[in-house]
């Protein structure tokens, strides 16, 4: 009796596609900004063909069957690309869900036996539901990859190491200093120390919203690692409320050179390099030339 | 090359073992800092195995979980075993004449750390370091 | 038997570690170096570890020992050229080598040793001219 449903679907491929397209387009949330109707039709046609051509009485109960490799591959590709293009989960999910509707519609037209219709519907539903789950899994995976890539980018962007003077590096830290960030900060800083042969590094934490014991611990790690390389590390940009928190939490930063502002840290650095910034007696001639 | 078992019975086996771990780490494109952390952790554990367990076997494996690839190292000895594991995992504890930061320090260098020990039978330590962790 | 060479350069001893040390080799180095400090009565020891890719707690302890022992013999120790990855790992391991002085490279290390001696002042006077 399964031959029946499969034959029916195979004979009505064209109609399934038309119905499905109608369903998809009726869904008002699907905007043409994200995908052209032409493109959508191409995707849909490919999927209908892959599904109906590979369907037989044995695999209808088994969505894991290797016969469906083409279907899962197509679905995976579509979900991933939709995740990247910024489709909503609803838009992605309704793609496959509206196919189910189209398939069931065809079944309804072909069979009048209620019991038979119910059983066939159940089978087809199960199969399509499994594909829907797969679609969501892939969609979420696509989003997660996107988030991971963005996280990496943010960490990279937000830790520039600036050479402020010969032998002096500055590293403004912006945002929370968690363990992963600390690792990136340390790596960038130490590599730059080696590259430039700088003896002094200034970690400026003006852009760090709060300092708790974990952040303080991470700062101390960066200071220790810098020292192991043979360079000195100054922490600057300590705001009054941060100084209060540090003391209230009982964090010991007494072994670290700390300054209120980047300017005073720089002044300290100049002093220890025996450099001096002075006003010249005459008007500068170089600047206006 | 996804699995290797190396016998570590004397001090001179340590450096070749470390080099083998490095080969694996390079193969799965682990960053230099993570490589260094992994090899240092391996060095600590292999030393413990030599000192307290009279040597044993070390297994190097490439593993993957979801999008992550990593290396799992297993150290098995048939030494006297550790009586109080929670205590051994505290900073500053050691029965030998090392610095006493072997186990907790090693724990901080890797992503996953597992230790099983039975008195008179031996100790097995397993660590995992992900390539991008 | 394998040994790490120790060079005498003016008022300093220079050790360049080119290979990953196993324990025996490191212990031998500690012994040789301390003997040499005593024999040559130098005032400074430079240990270049720029080619060392792994410093574990044992190796860290050896470096600390060398520094403390030399100090007892009135010599300063400076460890130079530590790799960034090694520094990060040591910190994470909980081993910041607090008793050991460090410098970016051999040249800066020598400079640091000289300034330490200047700071120590009078007891260095006899050999002072040879440092420059």
């Amino acid at each position: 009796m399964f031959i029946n449903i499969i034959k029916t679907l195979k004979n009505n491929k064209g109609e399934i596609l038309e119905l499905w397209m109608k369903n998809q387009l009726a869904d008002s949330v699907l905007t043409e900004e994200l995908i052209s109707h032409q493109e959508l039709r191409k995707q849909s046609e490919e999927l209908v063909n892959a599904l109906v051509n590979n369907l037989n009485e044995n695999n209808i109960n088994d969505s894991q069957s290797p016969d469906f490799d083409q279907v899962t591959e197509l679905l995976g590709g579509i979900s991933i690309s939709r995740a990247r293009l910024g489709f909503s989960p609803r838009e992605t999910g309704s793609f496959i869900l509206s196919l189910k509707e189209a398939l069931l519609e065809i079944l309804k037209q072909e069979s009048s036996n209620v019991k038979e219709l119910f059983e066939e519907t159940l089978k087809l539903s199960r199969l399509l539901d499994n594909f829907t789950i797969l679609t969501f899994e892939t969609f979420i995976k696509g989003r997660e990859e996107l988030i991971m890539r963005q996280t990496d980018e943010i960490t990279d962007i937000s830790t520039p190491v600036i050479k402020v003077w010969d032998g002096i590096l500055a590293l403004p830290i912006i945002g929370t200093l968690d363990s992963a960030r600390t690792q990136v900060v340390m790596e960038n800083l130490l590599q730059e120390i080696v590259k430039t042969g700088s003896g002094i590094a200034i970690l400026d934490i003006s852009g760090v919203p709060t300092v708790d014991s974990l952040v303080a611990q991470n700062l101390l790690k960066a200071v220790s690692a810098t020292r192991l390389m043979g360079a000195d590390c100054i922490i600057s940009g300590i705001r009054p409320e941060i100084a209060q928190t540090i003391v209230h939490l009982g964090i010991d930063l007494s072994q670290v050179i700390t300054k209120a502002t980047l300017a005073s840290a720089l002044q300290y650095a100049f002093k220890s390099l025996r450099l001096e910034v002075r006003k010249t007696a005459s008007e500068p001639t170089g600047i206006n030339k | 090359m996804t699995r290797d078992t190396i016998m570590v019975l004397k001090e001179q086996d340590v450096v070749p073992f470390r080099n083998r771990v490095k080969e694996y780490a390079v193969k799965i494109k682990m960053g230099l800092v993570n490589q260094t952390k992994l090899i240092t952790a391996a060095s600590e554990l292999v030393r413990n195995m030599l000192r307290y367990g009279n040597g044993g076997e070390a297994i190097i494996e490439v593993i993957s979980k979801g999008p992550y690839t990593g290396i799992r190292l297993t150290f098995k000895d048939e030494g006297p075993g550790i009586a109080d594991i929670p205590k051994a995992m505290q900073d500053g504890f050691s029965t030998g004449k090392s610095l006493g930061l072997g186990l907790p320090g090693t724990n901080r260098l890797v992503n996953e750390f597992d230790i099983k020990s039975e008195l008179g039978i031996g100790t097995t330590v397993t660590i995992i370091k992900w390539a991008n962790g | 038997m394998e040994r790490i060479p120790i060079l005498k350069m003016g008022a300093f001893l220079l050790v360049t570690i080119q290979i990953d040390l196993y324990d025996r080799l490191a212990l031998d180095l500690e012994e040789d170096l301390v003997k040499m400090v005593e024999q040559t009565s130098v005032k400074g020891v430079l240990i270049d570890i720029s080619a060392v890719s792994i410093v574990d707690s044992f190796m860290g302890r050896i470096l600390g020992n060398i520094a403390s022992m030399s100090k007892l013999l009135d010599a300063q120790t400076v460890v130079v050229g530590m790799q960034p990855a090694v520094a990060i790992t040591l910190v994470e391991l909980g081993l910041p080598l607090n008793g050991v002085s460090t410098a970016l490279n051999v040249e800066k290390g020598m400079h640091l040793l000289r300034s330490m001696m200047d700071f120590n002042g009078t007891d260095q006077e006899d050999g002072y001219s040879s440092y420059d």
Side-chain angles (χ1 to χ4, degrees), chain A residues 34-201:
Chain A
L34 292 170
I35 188 167
S36 72
H37 286 172
Q38 223 177 344
E39 180 67 18
L40 183 65
R41 192 178 185 89
K42 208 178 123 244
Q43 280 184 355
S44 308
E45 192 170 3
E46 261 183 287
L47 192 71
V48 170
N49 282 330
L51 176 64
V52 176
N53 292 347
N54 289 311
L55 193 67
N56 61 44
E57 62 265 38
N58 297 320
N59 61 25
I60 191 162
N61 289 315
D62 176 20
S63 67
Q64 307 284 329
S65 157
D67 298 348
F68 292 127
D69 280 355
Q70 203 192 341
V71 176
T72 46
E73 201 177 298
L74 270 172
L75 268 179
I78 291 170
S79 315
I80 286 266
S81 74
R82 288 190 169 201
R84 287 189 191 133
L85 287 169
F87 276 73
S88 70
R90 186 196 174 88
E91 285 160 344
T92 309
S94 67
F95 175 70
I96 183 88
L97 286 170
S98 56
L99 170 62
K100 183 164 103 176
E101 230 168 84
L103 292 173
L104 297 181
E105 181 69 31
I106 299 290
L107 274 195
K108 195 175 99 187
Q109 287 170 14
E110 291 295 312
S111 174
S112 53
N113 181 333
V114 176
K115 189 166 179 289
E116 191 191 46
L117 186 61
F118 175 73
E119 279 184 6
E120 301 303 302
T121 305
L122 198 62
K123 284 194 172 67
L124 209 49
S125 277
R126 268 198 205 122
L127 184 69
L128 267 292
D129 288 350
N130 273 318
F131 288 143
T132 311
I133 292 169
L134 179 90
T135 307
F136 273 110
E137 277 175 355
T138 330
F139 179 79
I140 288 168
K141 213 176 111 203
R143 301 294 281 194
E144 276 171 355
E145 277 169 12
L146 190 72
I147 293 168
M148 260 167 67
R149 213 179 48 235
Q150 286 171 340
T151 314
D152 285 349
E153 276 170 17
I154 291 169
T155 354
D156 276 347
I157 297 167
S158 55
T159 51
V161 183
I162 306 153
K163 184 176 170 177
V164 284
W165 201 265
D166 207 24
I168 307 172
L169 294 177
L171 202 156
I173 301 171
I174 293 156
T176 311
L177 198 61
D178 59 19
S179 301
R181 274 289 293 289
T182 310
Q183 166 119 0
V184 178
V185 166
M186 279 203 276
E187 268 187 73
N188 288 349
L189 178 62
L190 301 194
Q191 263 155 22
E192 212 52 33
I193 287 176
V194 174
K195 213 172 97 190
T196 58
S198 301
I200 297 176

Side-chain angles (χ1 to χ4, degrees), chain B:
Chain B
M1 189 171 117
T2 55
R3 194 175 197 276
D4 237 331
T5 305
I6 293 170
M7 296 306 293
V8 182
L9 299 172
K10 55 184 191 302
E11 221 180 73
Q12 281 81 348
D13 295 337
V14 173
V15 172
F17 167 72
R18 293 204 306 217
N19 292 341
R20 200 90 185 101
V21 175
K22 188 177 175 76
E23 277 172 38
Y24 273 82
V26 168
K27 200 188 82 170
I28 65 162
K29 298 191 177 66
M30 190 180 277
L32 183 63
V33 174
N34 283 337
Q35 268 182 42
T36 309
K37 286 184 178 176
L38 174 69
I39 300 166
T40 309
S43 187
E44 298 291 329
L45 292 172
V46 118
R47 188 186 316 288
N48 279 348
M49 195 162 83
L50 278 172
R51 184 169 298 153
Y52 305 115
N54 304 317
E57 63 172 15
I59 303 163
I60 314 173
E61 290 164 284
V62 174
I63 55 164
S64 56
K65 187 170 90 183
Y68 302 103
T69 316
I71 287 178
R72 177 164 62 207
L73 301 178
T74 311
F75 302 87
K76 275 187 207 160
D77 70 49
E78 292 172 359
I82 301 169
D84 189 346
I85 289 178
K87 202 172 168 197
M89 292 303 292
Q90 277 168 20
D91 264 320
F93 174 81
S94 171
T95 52
K97 50 170 189 167
S98 70
L99 275 177
L101 39 75
L103 290 181
T106 308
N107 186 9
R108 282 193 293 269
L109 294 179
V110 294
N111 299 110
E112 283 170 45
F113 185 101
D114 181 62
I115 178 164
K116 286 188 180 66
S117 188
E118 223 172 307
L119 283 179
I121 297 191
T123 305
T124 302
V125 181
T126 310
I127 55 172
I128 295 174
K129 184 86 189 162
W130 302 112
N132 41 1

Side-chain angles (χ1 to χ4, degrees), chain C residues 17-43:
Chain C
I17 302 175
Q18 301 274 20
I19 52 165
D20 280 335
L21 302 180
Y22 53 89
D23 297 5
R24 188 69 247 159
L25 210 51
L27 285 168
D28 286 346
L29 174 65
E30 178 185 299
E31 200 185 317
D32 292 353
L33 201 50
V34 176
K35 268 190 198 151
M36 194 99 158
V37 169
E38 196 265 335
Q39 281 163 11
T40 58
S41 56
V42 290
K43 298 296 169 211

